[in-house]
Amino acid sequence: MVFRAPGRVNLIGEHTDYNGGFVLPACIGFSCWVAAAPREDRKLVVHSENFNETVEACTDANHLRPTRKWSDYPFGVAWVLQEAGHLLRGANLYVRGEIPLGAGLSSSAAIEVAVTCALLHCSGYEIDRTKVPIYSQRAENDFVGARCGIMDQFVSCNGRAGHAVLLDCRSLEYRLVPFFDDIRLVVCNTMVKHAHGEGEYNSRHRECEEGVQRLSAALPGIRSLREVAMRDLEKHRDLLPEVIYRRCRHVITENERVPRAAAALCEGNITAFGERMAESHSSLRDDFQVSCPELDLMVNLASKHPGVHGSRMTGGGFGGCTVNLVNRAVADEFKRSIESEYHAATGRHPDIFVCDTSQGVERVPIDAGESALRGFAQ
Ligand code: GLA
């Protein structure tokens, strides 16, 4: 059997997921494909086409240890599923990823989701789309060691072609919101990935926790910034160092922007949607401080271009991609202009992907899977 799980682009709602807030991502047409076949023993044998490497381990949780390479994703999933009480059979997995690595388009969430589905299926378990993202996130948090929120794994599971996903990361309730007609999602990769990014991500996470902890002196019982309104933040500003105040202000204002953006999407009001994107970018740049000169440049170049309704950095930040809402008719021309303008300004050739929204994880007919997985020997 073959499972396909897509990458994602986040339209708005950045650094809100691990604060119990709202996000509005969509799946895009790059996927991770995992072909799986059960084995008689309890071995997990995983081949990566991208890394041209085969690794193996025993599925027992006790035998699985992180090694800080790509195989931590599939082994992390096996570890979490065992910890959660599943008895896994052995399996052969063949993995092919087409999501650009390190661009912030959730290649790791996609492999986690596809492998979770493949291992559950091989061992005869039901695939529950509310639980798969939780297992996948746990693999990343507790085995791989990255403190991400649930957005990427959730949308990779539950996204739908033609829609964005409005997700409440506290309750995990979600709504599919039809995407704009005649608009393409153009993802522009700055081709930079600042090395300190992962440490900074974790430090933002800690700063938000510190904000909650300090504010709880005045707002007893709060557990996340989701429970703090702007007026409360202003009222108790003196409890917070300036940096923490700004981090909190980003999260709280972003949480207000997401439902407004989703409402604009429902109404087909792309101007209002674009305004929320611009506000989000400014807040990420100035208050949360996760943008960088290359991302700001990419947004500025895009914003001057006719036919662009919204542009902002997307994902964790410190490099990676911007997301742009562009009229279908000019999307290719936009791509060409940005390629040359960004290159002229930085000397780097950006990767630009003109995308549409796509479908969340699915089991694909074996023929489609086979042609996508040339060389799978099982
Ligand atoms: C990364 C994480 C997500 C989310 C974003 C920022 O993509 O994986 O969980 O926190 O950053 O919004």
Side-chain angles (χ1 to χ4, degrees), residues 94-117:
Y94 184 98
V95 180
R96 173 173 179 227
E98 61 190 15
I99 306 166
L101 299 181
L105 300 176
S106 294
S107 53
S108 46
I111 183 174
E112 288 154 3
V113 166
V115 170
T116 305
C117 293

Side-chain angles (χ1 to χ4, degrees), residues 134-344:
I134 296 173
Y135 296 138
S136 301
Q137 181 201 15
R138 211 174 283 162
E140 181 130 1
N141 289 168
D142 298 345
F143 195 86
V144 178
R147 294 190 77 197
C148 66
I150 194 143
M151 165 171 71
D152 307 341
Q153 292 80 1
F154 195 94
V155 66
S156 184
C157 267
N158 294 296
R160 170 106 42 100
H163 296 76
V165 179
L166 174 61
L167 170 66
D168 177 339
C169 297
R170 183 170 61 182
S171 64
L172 297 188
E173 281 166 15
Y174 73 101
R175 194 152 61 86
L176 296 169
V177 188
F179 191 62
F180 297 111
D181 291 335
D182 284 331
I183 295 293
R184 303 203 78 185
L185 286 168
V186 184
V187 176
C188 300
N189 190 348
T190 58
M191 312 307 276
V192 299
K193 192 173 182 250
H194 294 291
H196 54 279
E198 198 180 319
E200 292 284 343
Y201 183 92
N202 290 339
S203 88
R204 293 301 179 280
H205 203 141
R206 275 196 304 277
E207 287 164 348
C208 293
E209 287 167 348
E210 183 181 338
V212 172
Q213 191 240 319
R214 287 176 181 268
L215 286 166
S216 66
L219 305 166
I222 56 163
R223 285 184 319 192
S224 71
L225 289 176
R226 167 69 179 281
E227 289 150 64
V228 183
M230 247 337 263
R231 63 177 176 281
D232 292 325
L233 181 70
E234 294 302 342
K235 193 163 152 201
H236 304 298
R237 182 174 180 164
D238 54 352
L239 292 174
L240 304 175
E242 178 64 16
V243 163
I244 304 293
Y245 165 75
R246 284 176 167 231
R247 304 299 188 243
C248 296
R249 184 166 66 181
H250 164 71
V251 173
I252 295 168
T253 57
E254 187 80 349
N255 269 333
E256 291 173 355
R257 278 185 287 274
V258 179
R260 291 177 67 203
L265 183 52
C266 285
E267 291 157 11
N269 186 346
I270 198 163
T271 309
F273 196 95
E275 286 164 6
R276 301 293 83 73
M277 288 176 78
E279 289 165 5
S280 170
H281 186 81
S282 306
S283 177
L284 288 158
R285 181 190 61 211
D286 302 335
D287 275 354
F288 217 62
Q289 297 181 297
V290 291
S291 189
C292 63
E294 296 85 354
L295 283 167
D296 295 341
L297 170 71
M298 199 65 109
V299 167
N300 287 339
L301 293 176
S303 305
K304 293 196 192 99
H305 207 276
V308 176
H309 300 275
S311 179
R312 58 180 284 278
M313 58 155 279
T314 185
F318 303 104
C321 296
T322 65
V323 56
N324 303 274
L325 268 50
V326 184
N327 284 348
R328 180 168 295 272
V330 299
D332 291 327
E333 182 195 325
F334 170 77
K335 171 178 152 97
R336 283 193 298 276
S337 312
I338 295 291
E339 270 162 3
S340 71
E341 290 165 23
Y342 185 79
H343 178 250

Side-chain angles (χ1 to χ4, degrees), residues 8 10 13-15 17-18 148-152 201 315-316:
R8 65 94 187 94
N10 189 17
E14 218 66 85
H15 290 274
D17 60 352
Y18 55 83
C148 66
I150 194 143
M151 165 171 71
D152 307 341
Y201 183 92

